[in-house]
Amino acid sequence: MRSLTLEVIFMITTTLRLIRKSAADILRNWHVLAIFAGLYALLLATLYGFIATREARVWQVLLTLLFVASAPAIFFLMQAAIINQARQGKIEWYLALRDSCKLALLTLPLIFVGVGIIYLLNRWQAHFPAPHLAPLPLVSAAAPGKPVATPPTHSPTVWFPTARVLIFVIALPLAMIQLWVDLGRQNLLTFIRAGARAVLKSLGQTLSRAFAPESVLIYSLGLIVFALTPYVLLFVRVPLGGTWRELVVFSARLALVYVFTLFGWVLTLSTYAKANDGPALPGPILAAGEPNPRTSITTDDGEVATV
């Protein structure tokens, strides 16, 4: 029991050190962070243009199609650039552009899996409709001590949304990030030609690393920064007096949401890239005592720690 506790503490400490090192590298290379901020702003502008453009004329339809094609390209280019910078210390745009195509190909199977899961969950949930409840009678003011009847909880109404959150917010993003990091820089044709057995074995190892405690911890901490904190900033309202004050506070909230989502996602993906820096396919045999680059990292103190 004590050994297990020490292993958990060591895992958490090592992961936090790696996150801290990644954050320090990002803040130190502020010009690279400015490039990511520009790509992120371009992505948001493209999505806004797609939503705001009305398909009334030919040029508007063409503009909408341009936005549809540009948004995924910018998104995957940004992800490839983040991973490339985390590994190389700089952005090699040729490699980032090439790897962005691989990331898009690796994401397609997960999109199909997600669509299939949505279809199955919707069909399954249709077999558990919520019962129709009569409206509760009003509580009489003359009987304040009388208990108020509450409708029974419909369990499937809780189970299915919980399953959707676990699958689409945690499981699929974890698998997607690990596929990007492990296979994004591989030659996919060579990887596929290795045979079904080798491919399935490598995919199994990738998925096992995706749901390892270290990966879940990195993603959970990143989720707080790039998702939970922006949600609280954007939707938790504080009543203020005056229209101009409301406008200023809302603008500040949008700016903070932009900063947190950008920095949190860059930090999360960079940490994954550094923690999993190594070949996805079987690598060379290591000499005795030589640390495995896929399962070890160098901390700030220069020591090698296994992750």
Side-chain angles (χ1 to χ4, degrees):
M1 184 66 181
R2 184 173 179 272
S3 175
L4 179 61
T5 304
L6 291 177
E7 289 181 3
V8 173
I9 295 175
F10 178 75
M11 181 271 295
I12 296 175
T13 304
T14 305
T15 304
L16 292 178
R17 285 183 179 180
L18 183 60
I19 295 175
R20 185 185 64 182
K21 185 177 184 301
S22 298
D25 292 341
I26 293 171
L27 295 176
R28 189 181 302 114
N29 299 324
W30 60 268
H31 57 284
V32 177
L33 185 60
I35 295 175
F36 294 150
L39 288 174
Y40 186 41
L42 184 60
L43 175 63
L44 294 179
T46 305
L47 294 175
Y48 175 78
F50 169 71
I51 296 173
T53 303
R54 298 180 179 179
E55 296 83 357
R57 299 181 180 179
V58 176
W59 69 269
Q60 290 177 322
V61 175
L62 294 177
L63 187 61
T64 302
L65 294 177
L66 177 62
F67 288 144
V68 170
S70 299
I74 297 171
F75 174 78
F76 288 112
L77 177 61
M78 181 178 174
Q79 312 316 310
I82 294 173
I83 296 174
N84 185 265
Q85 193 277 333
R87 283 174 167 163
Q88 307 294 335
K90 60 181 180 179
I91 302 177
E92 299 179 359
W93 288 107
Y94 171 74
L95 294 179
L97 183 61
R98 185 193 65 183
D99 292 344
S100 65
C101 300
K102 298 179 184 178
L103 299 188
L105 292 176
L106 292 171
T107 307
L108 285 178
L110 290 179
I111 293 177
F112 296 144
V113 170
V115 172
I117 292 175
I118 291 175
Y119 174 77
L120 293 177
L121 285 178
N122 291 340
R123 291 291 301 272
W124 192 11
Q125 189 174 6
H127 295 283
F128 302 94
H132 178 71
L133 299 176
L136 296 177
L138 297 177
V139 180
S140 175
K146 186 178 181 180
V148 180
T150 57
T153 302
H154 186 238
S155 299
T157 307
V158 179
W159 295 341
F160 284 101
T162 303
R164 289 186 176 92
V165 170
L166 293 176
I167 293 172
F168 296 103
V169 178
I170 297 177
L172 288 182
L174 279 172
M176 180 181 65
I177 294 174
Q178 199 66 48
L179 283 175
W180 288 354
V181 172
D182 272 4
L183 304 180
R185 63 175 181 173
Q186 300 291 332
N187 188 325
L188 296 183
L189 290 178
T190 304
F191 176 71
I192 294 174
R193 289 172 181 172
R197 184 176 181 180
V199 170
L200 292 177
K201 181 180 179 181
S202 182
L203 289 178
Q205 294 173 351
T206 298
L207 292 178
S208 66
R209 285 192 296 272
F211 299 103
E214 298 86 353
S215 298
V216 175
L217 179 59
I218 293 173
Y219 182 75
S220 300
L221 295 177
L223 190 66
I224 295 175
V225 180
F226 71 78
L228 182 59
T229 302
Y231 177 84
V232 172
L233 288 172
L234 196 58
F235 294 103
V236 176
R237 297 192 59 185
V238 178
L240 298 172
T243 305
W244 285 104
R245 188 176 299 177
E246 291 279 355
L247 181 61
V248 170
V249 171
F250 181 71
S251 301
R253 286 187 174 190
L254 288 180
L256 289 176
V257 167
Y258 175 82
V259 171
F260 275 103
T261 51
L262 172 66
F263 183 78
W265 183 249
V266 173
L267 176 62
T268 302
L269 202 54
S270 299
T271 306
Y272 267 97
K274 292 180 179 180
N276 297 271
D277 192 10
L281 298 179
I285 299 176
L286 301 175
E290 183 179 355
N292 190 336
R294 297 185 53 173
T295 59
S296 62
I297 60 171
T298 303
T299 62
D300 297 337
D301 303 329
E303 57 183 357
V304 176
T306 303
V307 294

